[in-house]
Amino acid sequence: MIEKLKCNIDDSLLQVMSVINMNAKGIAFVTDNDGKLCGIVTDGDIRRIILQGKSLSIKVGTVLAKDYSYAVDGDSYESMLGKMSERVKMIPIVDQDKKLINYFEYHTSAYFPVSTPNLSGNEFKYLFDAFMSTWISSRGEYITRFENSFSAYCDCKFGVATANGTTALHLALMALGIGTGDEVIVPDLTFAATINAVIYTGATPVIVDIEADSWCISPEAIEQAVTPKTKAIIPVHIYGQACNMGAITDIASKHRLKVVEDCAEAHGAKYRGQKVGSCGDVGCFSFFGNKVITTGEGGMCVTNDAETNDRMRLLRDHGMSRTKKYWHDVVGYNYRMTNLQAAIGLAQLERIDHIHQKRKEYERQYREALKGGVMNFQNDIENRDRITWLVSVVLDKNVSRDDFMDKIIKNGVDARPFFYPLSDMDIYKDYCKTFTENTHNVSYHGLNLPTYESMLDIDSIIMRIKEVMA
Ligand SMILES: *Cc1c(COP(=O)(O)O)cnc(C)c1O
């Protein structure tokens, strides 16, 4: 960010205005050719200069005020706070040679959310195009384009767009013939939609523990839970981490089980170089507002099996015959996505590599700044390419997660607790036959930190977390 605030003493006022316009902070720090700080210009300063009748082509160096506030690297938070005023909300930080290295910004009421979508690419263009075409319902070219591009991104032949991630899971299970009398194995650490989708089908969920290191469903626990009634497994790639798909698909083929991957938090993650969603029978994704890419609400099933694809399409569209309009051979659903959502999704997908890169970079900065404290960041596991969804940490046992979370939220940084163990909730507890030690160790000590593409204020976020840690 500091680069975006910088301009040179020889720049014209017009160039400075352009810098201010780009950084959207209303301010620029002026440096000489050695990178040393010479002054500060705000958009208000430029407005006053124009009103004085001066030209925008004059050099900024000729209009700099003599005195301005700045901090020196190492200054305490209190000392920097002391330089803030009604008018000054942001100051540069220099090193011992007065070279500009950073800035400090005070937010009176700023509140950093855990997540916020970034729609700065072709999102509006495509959405507007879909709108103008009047194909605003669930037919239109963006649906096909989004389905084709997203399934290709997942190394799958087919994609079936749905209303949301939960309907994607339900649709996949129904298309695979899961129903009453069947058992479906799910992890204890997941969002409730995973188990709810199983319950919708009439099948019985069987909750098992996770691996201590990856936080994903444990293959050993799956193996122990298999009975003659077991029909499917739902591995959940939790917090961007891929499950041990090798072991899971081995168990599945041994016992002839279906595998429905819940990829709602892991778009683009890989197991042994293979994209999640393409390892099992069907991969289910969510495009909710806080997911890696979003369509507002939305989801998708991806598969390499033509028959499953046909079945999912049929069930998604009311189970209506493809050849005979208003003729129904099965009870279907309306689980479709609209063309408007798909237009946004397509634009998001165009930028997914950039989005991943940004999220990774923020995770790196969190790790670097907060290491050695009470936070244990998510593990990297051999042969699994994790993505960063929401930066996930487990706090040391002697720290109260809820207290810690309360404090950072009070300090303006939002956070989320990890999912509670499903087995601790009254409505699900009977589906779990064993105590899930790993889930309990992780769930009650874990939290997610703000992570989103346009998190320019990461330095302030880290500073606020550090204040609580101190
Ligand atoms: C978000 C999420 C879902 C559900 O997706 P929706 O689009 O909100 O219905 C399912 N499973 C997991 C693990 C999720 O995080």
Side-chain angles (χ1 to χ4, degrees), residues 137-358:
S137 200
S138 51
R139 284 199 205 170
E141 59 162 322
Y142 283 105
I143 301 202
T144 318
R145 284 174 70 187
F146 185 42
E147 287 181 339
N148 291 345
S149 320
F150 190 75
S151 54
Y153 175 77
C154 299
D155 298 333
C156 279
K157 285 199 196 112
F158 309 103
V160 180
T162 59
N164 55 59
T166 311
T167 51
L169 286 163
H170 186 215
L171 189 65
L173 293 168
M174 293 307 285
L176 294 170
I178 308 299
T180 310
D182 298 336
E183 288 177 358
V184 178
I185 299 174
V186 299
D188 202 12
L189 185 74
T190 183
F191 181 58
T194 316
I195 190 168
N196 287 346
V198 175
I199 296 170
Y200 301 160
T201 68
T204 305
V206 175
I207 298 172
V208 302
D209 205 359
I210 55 169
E211 297 173 321
D213 56 354
S214 74
W215 311 339
C216 293
I217 192 166
S218 149
E220 287 82 50
I222 295 174
E223 185 78 66
Q224 279 163 22
V226 172
T227 74
K229 288 185 179 168
T230 310
K231 287 282 147 52
I233 310 166
I234 310 185
V236 179
H237 306 296
I238 199 87
Y239 303 128
Q241 180 85 273
C243 295
N244 185 344
M245 291 312 293
I248 292 168
T249 49
D250 283 352
I251 297 170
S253 32
K254 184 164 135 202
H255 300 282
R256 302 173 148 273
L257 310 175
K258 299 293 185 189
V259 176
V260 174
E261 300 177 66
D262 184 336
C263 313
E265 304 176 359
H267 316 59
K270 291 178 196 155
Y271 172 79
R272 284 189 186 275
Q274 194 177 348
K275 286 263 176 69
V276 300
S278 70
C279 308
D281 294 277
V282 181
C284 300
F285 290 83
S286 165
F287 306 114
F288 182 65
N290 69 3
K291 303 294 160 101
V292 171
I293 59 170
T294 185
T295 60
E297 293 278 359
M300 196 170 318
C301 298
V302 297
T303 184
N304 276 310
D305 184 60
E307 214 173 297
T308 308
N309 172 52
D310 287 345
R311 190 81 189 155
M312 291 193 294
R313 285 177 186 280
L314 178 72
L315 290 172
R316 179 186 63 173
D317 297 336
H318 302 286
M320 185 156 62
S321 165
R322 282 283 181 76
T323 47
K324 194 167 162 185
K325 199 90 182 155
Y326 305 133
W327 188 262
H328 303 259
D329 291 311
V330 286
V331 178
Y333 310 90
N334 176 355
Y335 279 177
R336 295 178 302 232
M337 174 185 275
T338 68
N339 199 39
L340 300 174
Q341 293 166 301
I344 296 174
L346 186 69
Q348 288 265 291
L349 184 60
E350 287 175 355
R351 303 192 299 109
I352 194 167
D353 292 341
H354 175 76
I355 294 171
H356 277 316
Q357 188 197 322
K358 282 284 183 195

